[in-house]
Amino acid sequence: FQLFRNHILDSGAEWTHEDGSVTRVGKSCLEELRDKDSPEGELSKLYKINDDHLYCVGPQRQRVKPAVQLLSSSVANAFREAGEPEKGELIQTIDSWFDVFDSRTQFHRSKQLKNGLGVHEEQQVAALHKMLNLMENITFGGKLKPFMKGIVSSTKSLLALWDDLKRRGWSHICTYNLNQDILELFFSNIRSLCGA
């Protein structure tokens, strides 16, 4: 996810639609959107987005939360309200995919896609397929990037795993448990108990 954000900021994303038109999203259009969003005396819809999100360097690029905030549904909605629905759709596709991959409980309070995979199966599977379609039609600075293969592989693997577990009677998968955060937390706990 951080690599997705980094490449959008560094070289910009170019999404080629079925009709041949191209939607471009990069740092400059995100800066412009943020600047348009907060006219004098009005409440900002993008109050979470600041310079740290757009000009992150070094270790800041490894933080997930700012990447998630920058590529979020609130930014997608701001693009739509600014009359740029294609850019909004691109950002929304990324956000929806991340929500499906980040379900931590069977039922989420506010976002349907963050429920365990299978609770809102039709919408969740559609979000995964939409991301696969995006990966076939997007480039960064005119090039394909290695992280895109990881997104495609992870997404196809999750769909295959869900099909298998569904046949075995599972009602849902908490997809957060499938990423390496669990392993990193485990090693962190061991280090805190035993030292290096």
Side-chain angles (χ1 to χ4, degrees), residues 125-171:
V125 169
L128 295 175
H129 282 291
K130 198 167 184 181
M131 186 62 154
L132 288 173
N133 183 276
L134 178 63
M135 287 298 100
E136 291 174 2
N137 297 294
I138 195 169
T139 58
F140 297 88
K143 299 177 183 172
L144 299 174
K145 299 293 181 178
F147 82 92
M148 296 167 66
K149 290 181 183 177
I151 288 176
V152 171
S153 177
S154 298
T155 304
K156 287 182 176 180
S157 296
L158 179 59
L159 288 166
L161 176 65
W162 172 238
D163 283 341
D164 184 47
L165 294 177
K166 189 168 56 167
R167 280 194 298 272
R168 296 171 189 232
W170 285 48
S171 63

Side-chain angles (χ1 to χ4, degrees), residues 103 105-107 114-120 124 172-175:
S103 63
T105 60
Q106 183 175 4
F107 299 106
K114 274 196 164 247
N115 289 317
L117 176 60
V119 173
H120 293 285
Q124 291 167 318
H172 70 283
I173 306 173
C174 291
T175 54

Side-chain angles (χ1 to χ4, degrees), residues 5-193:
R5 184 268 322 270
N6 295 346
H7 287 297
I8 285 175
L9 294 179
D10 293 344
S11 51
E14 296 176 348
W15 176 27
T16 305
H17 302 271
E18 289 179 11
D19 63 2
S21 62
V22 177
T23 298
R24 291 177 178 81
V25 176
K27 185 190 290 186
S28 61
C29 65
L30 289 163
E31 290 169 332
E32 191 177 308
L33 180 70
R34 185 192 62 172
D35 295 343
K36 277 190 214 173
D37 181 58
S38 50
E40 282 296 317
E42 291 187 29
L43 291 175
S44 170
K45 293 176 218 67
L46 299 178
Y47 63 91
K48 291 182 183 176
I49 307 302
N50 57 42
D51 285 351
D52 291 340
H53 292 83
L54 296 172
Y55 309 108
C56 56
V57 292
Q60 291 178 323
R61 289 193 156 214
Q62 297 303 312
R63 295 183 56 225
V64 176
K65 188 174 181 178
V68 171
Q69 289 173 333
L70 187 62
L71 302 177
S72 66
S73 58
S74 58
V75 173
N77 289 334
F79 271 124
R80 289 186 194 107
E81 288 180 19
E84 300 178 276
E86 296 84 10
K87 292 178 182 178
E89 186 180 349
L90 178 100
I91 301 296
Q92 187 63 59
T93 299
I94 299 164
D95 179 66
S96 297
W97 172 82
F98 182 78
D99 285 349
V100 174
F101 263 87
D102 193 44
S103 63
R104 296 168 190 241
T105 60
Q106 183 175 4
F107 299 106
H108 191 267
R109 293 173 308 192
S110 57
K111 293 181 100 176
Q112 280 189 347
L113 294 176
K114 274 196 164 247
N115 289 317
L117 176 60
V119 173
H120 293 285
E121 180 180 5
E122 192 174 319
Q123 296 96 318
Q124 291 167 318
V125 169
L128 295 175
H129 282 291
K130 198 167 184 181
M131 186 62 154
L132 288 173
N133 183 276
L134 178 63
M135 287 298 100
E136 291 174 2
N137 297 294
I138 195 169
T139 58
F140 297 88
K143 299 177 183 172
L144 299 174
K145 299 293 181 178
F147 82 92
M148 296 167 66
K149 290 181 183 177
I151 288 176
V152 171
S153 177
S154 298
T155 304
K156 287 182 176 180
S157 296
L158 179 59
L159 288 166
L161 176 65
W162 172 238
D163 283 341
D164 184 47
L165 294 177
K166 189 168 56 167
R167 280 194 298 272
R168 296 171 189 232
W170 285 48
S171 63
H172 70 283
I173 306 173
C174 291
T175 54
Y176 175 78
N177 295 329
L178 302 175
N179 70 33
Q180 74 182 40
D181 286 353
I182 299 294
L183 189 61
E184 289 175 8
L185 290 172
F186 173 71
F187 286 133
S188 176
N189 286 333
I190 288 177
R191 277 194 301 273
S192 69
L193 295 171

